[in-house]
Amino acid sequence: MKSKIILILKICISLSLLIVVFTRIDLPKLWEQVQYLSFPFVLFALLYYTACQWLSCLRWQVILKANHYPVSIRNLLAGYFAGMFVSIFLPSSYGGDVYRIYRLNQSIHNLEVSVSSVFLERFAGLAAIFALALLGLPPIFQLMGSWEVVGLFLLCASILSGGFLLILSPQLLSWMEPLLMKLHLTKIVERIAKTQIIFRKFVHHRQAVSIAIGLSLVIQLSVIYYQYLLAQQLKIPVSFLELLIFTPISIVVTLLPISFGGLGVQEGLWAYLFSRVGLPAEQAVLLSLTFTLLGWLLSLPGGIILFLDSLRSRVDANPPANLPSN
């Protein structure tokens, strides 16, 4: 019941924010600019974004190899697409990670390594986002001349960092363990402890760590450049530098689980941020929504993968009876 109430609250927050945003923009002008989006560009955008996902799987593969679990890129990419598809229907982008863990565990039969590898892959990506966001704080303050966005970023970064420290720090976990035990979270404490062991093993592989962090920076810069190409196609006058400054900060803010998959929060934040550099709100919202919708479109093959996985599970659970011999 509690989880259902939280889900309903998140949906209400997203809908409320979207209503506020759409009542303050010129919808005919929004539709006029949507028509600049051509089919060849959509095809190119999907291929480009697929390449970014392939790089993410390469990062994931590096982490798994460091833990002596070689898994093919093809297998990991299938899990990534399935996870993206699942995330559309769940209140957080992390919902897809749960399915990625499940699917990987079907291959390697080690739940702790599956959980840790997905966590470390996420952590490497977030580390790159945080680094870019921190570099963007001075110019964003110079552009906006106020501290509210900087303060919002620091608040969100503190909350997220606290969660990561709990997972990564054995000392912090030992301090929090009595409280977690009282909350009947013994299994979570045990799983975090095992994850910490695997994480400590991974950080000793300096080459793997360097490759994972390097790939993360390449991926984040590639995604931001993809947004820039999308803006150019939609005739939205935003520079790559402005996207480089605003995008990492907006990602950090929308990671907080206060809305349904960040919907509404991202659009409202982009409208606010880009309006400070002279961009009309409808153009900022259009760029944000188009980026999200193309991501959903790209995830559709994940639905097919999910369906095939379901069929395999049924076959494994109910193997056909041996036919009688003549």
Side-chain angles (χ1 to χ4, degrees), residues 16-27:
S16 300
L17 289 171
L18 287 173
I19 290 169
V20 170
V21 168
F22 278 101
T23 53
R24 296 188 179 185
I25 62 176
D26 187 343
L27 291 177

Side-chain angles (χ1 to χ4, degrees), residues 58-75:
L58 182 60
R59 176 179 63 194
W60 192 8
Q61 187 184 56
V62 167
I63 293 167
L64 283 165
K65 281 184 177 178
N67 287 287
H68 309 292
Y69 283 91
V71 182
S72 69
I73 287 285
R74 182 181 176 183
N75 190 345

